């Protein structure tokens, strides 16, 4: 990079973009610059000016009646979590692995999380954006385009064409505010594990789990193999029979089937997450 600048307001971002145009300087915006799972703060083009938005860290609103939040790009998942906990708000956020990252930055890089599908797709769960365009003008998408509309984070379409996708994983503007739908805090939460005995059971297991998730009955499934756990145990020696079996790579289905039958170990397992009223969770 040739330099870096850290604005604290939308108006400053607009001024910076206009100056960059005037002097023909490429700018490289980052939210916190620490969402390393989805790209770091280093520019792709030599000589770029890093536009560091971490000082823009206002949590503008969290509503636990209509279940949304409106954030600036410097807000981290930790910041949002603390804000919710300190105020006793009845909403959950969907967090990815890097909690120090930004919900805005993570969603713009199409990051994902761990709860229900609607909220796990972070860009899919966004509702309303404010963007500084390359000429310094300001645009708000969805109902934000309507003066004094109070439905900006309720309804993502509104007037005109939907252009939000242009600003995800792209360089058509600098996003300075972004809204997200949030998960209402459920009455109960349950996580359970289903185990299957054979390697061949994986295909029908995946089909069944996909059907449950497509119906909205479960959150993110987490697949695992107890066989792999025997190869990489926590605090103990790995199974020598398994090491011998895997010495030359994947041994084939028949050998794996014979191993799990001999050891009495399930071939695969999946963790399933359930949310909602207790009676509903138990029934599901």
């Amino acid at each position: 990079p040739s330099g870096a600048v850290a604005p604290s307001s939308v108006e400053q971002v607009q001024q910076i973009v206009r100056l960059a145009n005037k002097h023909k300087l490429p700018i490289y915006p980052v939210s916190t610059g620490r969402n390393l799972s989805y790209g770091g703060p280093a520019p792709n083009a030599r000589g770029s000016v890093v536009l560091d938005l971490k000082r823009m860290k206002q949590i503008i609103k969290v509503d636990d009646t209509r279940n949304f939040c409106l954030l600036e790009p410097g807000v981290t998942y930790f910041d949002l979590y603390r804000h919710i906990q300190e105020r006793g708000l009845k909403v959950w956020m969907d967090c990815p692995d890097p909690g120090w990252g930004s919900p805005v930055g993570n969603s713009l890089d199409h990051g994902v999380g761990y709860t229900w599908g609607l909220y796990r797709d972070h860009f899919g769960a966004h509702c309303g954006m404010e963007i500084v365009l390359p000429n310094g003008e300001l645009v708000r998408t969805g109902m934000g385009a309507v003066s004094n509309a109070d439905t900006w984070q309720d309804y993502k379409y509104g007037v005109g064409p939907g252009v939000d996708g242009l600003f995800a994983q792209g360089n058509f503007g600098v996003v300075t505010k972004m809204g997200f739908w949030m998960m209402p805090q459920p009455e109960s939460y349950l996580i359970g594990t289903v185990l299957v005995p054979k390697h061949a059971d994986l295909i029908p297991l995946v089909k069944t789990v996909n059907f449950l998730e497509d119906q909205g009955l479960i959150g993110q499934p987490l697949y695992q193999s107890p066989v792999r756990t025997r190869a990489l145990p926590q605090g103990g020696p790995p199974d020598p029979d398994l090491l011998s079996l895997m010495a030359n790579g994947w041994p084939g289905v028949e050998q794996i089937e014979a191993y799990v039958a001999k050891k009495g170990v399930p071939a695969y397992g999946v963790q399933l997450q359930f949310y909602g009223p207790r009676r509903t969770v138990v029934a599901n």
Side-chain angles (χ1 to χ4, degrees):
S2 60
V5 60
S8 60
S9 69
V10 178
E11 293 75 20
Q12 289 180 7
V13 174
Q14 291 178 282
Q15 294 171 12
I16 291 164
V17 169
R18 292 184 184 117
L19 281 170
N21 274 323
K22 178 179 178 181
H23 297 285
K24 307 300 181 187
L25 285 170
I27 57 176
Y28 186 81
V30 297
S31 49
T32 65
R34 299 182 64 197
N35 204 350
L36 303 180
S37 295
Y38 293 96
N44 294 328
R46 181 176 295 275
S48 297
V49 173
V50 175
L51 179 59
D52 188 338
L53 303 174
K54 72 164 63 75
R55 292 176 64 203
M56 297 178 62
K57 56 185 307 178
Q58 184 181 2
I59 299 174
I60 299 163
K61 189 172 186 178
V62 178
D63 189 316
D64 64 353
T65 302
R66 290 149 64 191
N67 305 309
F68 68 75
C69 63
L70 180 61
L71 312 172
E72 289 188 328
V75 174
T76 68
Y77 285 96
F78 286 131
D79 294 333
L80 181 57
Y81 176 78
R82 281 191 290 264
H83 181 94
I84 292 168
Q85 295 301 311
E86 289 168 0
R87 290 158 180 80
L89 299 173
K90 303 298 184 183
V91 285
W92 282 8
M93 64 180 194
D94 187 285
C95 185
D97 290 312
W100 55 78
S102 158
V104 172
N106 184 274
S107 68
L108 292 178
D109 271 325
H110 293 161
V112 294
Y114 289 98
T115 61
W116 253 331
L118 173 63
Y119 308 104
R120 196 163 77 236
D121 174 3
H122 294 164
F123 189 76
H126 96 276
C127 189
M129 301 165 68
E130 178 185 84
I131 306 116
V132 175
L133 298 178
N135 62 359
E137 292 184 8
L138 199 67
V139 64
R140 287 184 170 182
T141 66
M143 294 303 293
V146 179
S147 299
N148 300 318
D150 191 38
T151 52
W152 193 15
Q153 274 65 65
D154 293 308
Y155 187 64
K156 66 169 64 180
Y157 301 114
V159 297
V163 297
D164 298 50
L166 290 172
F167 305 102
Q169 292 186 319
N171 57 354
F172 293 107
V174 180
V175 177
T176 50
K177 291 183 181 67
M178 201 164 179
F180 298 93
W181 292 330
M182 302 190 76
M183 181 176 175
Q185 179 175 302
E187 177 185 305
S188 62
Y189 166 74
L190 175 70
I191 186 167
T193 302
V194 175
L195 301 171
V196 294
K198 297 181 179 181
H199 176 78
D201 293 330
L202 179 62
I203 293 174
L205 178 66
V206 170
K207 288 182 177 179
T208 303
V209 170
N210 286 351
F211 178 71
L212 294 175
E213 187 171 15
D214 290 344
Q215 283 192 312
L217 298 178
I218 60 170
Q220 187 203 34
L222 176 62
Y223 291 93
Q224 57 192 343
S225 173
V227 176
R228 182 177 183 273
T229 305
R230 293 174 76 91
L232 301 169
Q234 296 291 327
D239 183 353
D241 291 344
L242 183 60
L243 292 181
S244 174
L245 183 67
M246 303 293 286
N248 297 313
W250 174 247
V253 174
E254 291 183 0
Q255 289 88 336
I256 290 292
E257 296 282 26
Y259 174 84
V260 297
K262 176 183 176 182
K263 298 289 183 176
V265 181
Y268 290 99
V270 61
Q271 288 183 346
L272 304 178
Q273 301 182 72
F274 301 88
Y275 309 87
R278 177 173 169 77
R279 290 178 62 186
T280 304
V281 164
V282 172
N284 288 341

